[in-house]
Amino acid sequence: MTENEAFIYESIFNQVRMGFLSVDEIKENIIEEIEDNEFEDEISEEWAFDKIREEYQKLLSESKQWKSPTDTEKLIKAFDELCEENIIALHNAGYTTSDGESEVVEVESELRENEVESDGYCFYHEQDLARAVSVEDPGLFIAFQKVDNEDAATTIEVGKKVAEVLRNNGFEVNWNESPKTKIEIPGFRWQHIFDEDGRDLQDYSEVVERMIR
């Protein structure tokens, strides 16, 4: 595999394993990525589609050996519980921490339109998720804070709440109780397959609905 093929293959691997997109959506993304990087002369559509199909079949095969509840299922449950305890908890929120923070602000503004103010928030973003799907040394980092907050003690309280709910759902948690350090779930392995009829974890209106009940 050439360097450019390896670059595109990594993107295919991540998008298939994250399970947020259909195979057709991944195909569109990958073709766009090949064109944006001007790899068309080196990487054919056929090669890319073969790799997508191979990775998807490999994931389907592996999924038959998954033990329930998977880490992903436990995390979904933990995030639902956090929402019910007035903490905004978002899955795959943007690509970077600042993207995630922007998503949180949008959710918070919807909550305030419904006369609810959150006690804090937490999320992981796509770069975090890329580590959780990696074969070697998987894990997941969770960011946390409270909207419009500069008080370290308040931030720490949010972190403690998030860490507590994660532990209650069977996770080992690494966090030094610093307001500036993300919470780590070492060894976290993301196991999820796209399901057109399944729950859309990025439908944040569901988070709002859960929090205003």
Side-chain angles (χ1 to χ4, degrees):
M1 212 181 279
T2 67
E3 187 178 334
N4 291 340
E5 283 173 340
F7 175 81
I8 293 298
Y9 171 75
E10 182 182 6
S11 183
I12 289 169
F13 179 89
N14 286 343
Q15 290 184 52
V16 170
R17 297 266 158 176
M18 288 174 185
F20 282 94
L21 301 172
S22 69
V23 167
D24 286 342
E25 288 171 322
I26 294 170
K27 285 179 177 178
E28 286 177 22
N29 281 356
I30 293 301
I31 291 305
E32 194 176 309
E33 207 169 326
I34 289 169
E35 290 171 354
D36 287 349
N37 286 282
E38 300 181 350
F39 293 161
E40 300 101 314
D41 292 342
E42 182 186 343
I43 301 175
S44 68
E45 183 178 291
E46 183 184 13
W47 180 91
F49 288 3
D50 279 348
K51 294 298 178 196
I52 292 168
R53 187 168 55 254
E54 284 170 20
E55 281 307 317
Y56 186 70
Q57 289 304 322
K58 206 183 293 180
L59 183 61
L60 280 178
S61 177
E62 284 176 25
S63 70
K64 291 169 185 164
Q65 309 300 321
W66 292 350
K67 290 177 181 171
S68 190
T70 63
D71 283 351
T72 306
E73 288 167 341
K74 291 194 292 183
L75 186 70
I76 291 168
K77 183 170 173 284
F79 271 30
D80 286 351
E81 287 175 14
L82 283 162
C83 290
E84 284 157 11
E85 296 194 29
N86 208 39
I87 303 283
I88 296 168
L90 303 184
H91 294 278
N92 200 25
Y95 187 68
T96 63
T97 300
S98 60
D99 289 342
E101 288 166 349
S102 298
E103 297 280 3
V104 165
V105 168
E106 285 190 28
V107 173
E108 182 75 24
S109 66
E110 274 195 65
L111 288 173
R112 291 183 184 183
E113 283 172 19
N114 288 276
E115 299 181 348
V116 172
E117 183 177 333
S118 77
D119 291 324
Y121 65 78
C122 68
F123 65 83
Y124 60 90
H125 52 64
E126 192 176 321
Q127 287 180 317
D128 296 320
L129 199 51
R131 181 184 167 197
V133 300
S134 66
V135 177
E136 294 178 15
D137 193 29
L140 187 68
F141 282 98
I142 310 262
F144 62 91
Q145 182 49 286
K146 186 179 189 298
V147 175
D148 300 331
N149 171 60
E150 294 181 3
D151 177 53
T154 300
T155 308
I156 291 166
E157 285 309 306
V158 175
K160 283 181 177 177
K161 185 69 202 170
V162 173
E164 177 191 13
V165 171
L166 291 171
R167 287 191 185 103
N168 288 345
N169 278 277
F171 290 117
E172 178 190 344
V173 169
N174 281 349
W175 180 50
N176 61 1
E177 298 200 354
S178 163
K180 296 180 180 177
T181 309
K182 287 185 177 183
I183 293 168
E184 180 189 14
I185 309 175
F188 181 100
R189 196 173 291 281
W190 182 262
Q191 294 176 320
H192 188 59
I193 293 180
F194 177 80
D195 177 1
E196 194 174 335
D197 299 320
R199 175 177 170 185
D200 179 3
L201 296 176
Q202 288 181 288
D203 180 3
Y204 300 150
S205 64
E206 193 174 311
V207 170
V208 174
E209 285 168 20
R210 199 176 287 273
M211 293 180 69
I212 62 176
R213 280 176 191 162

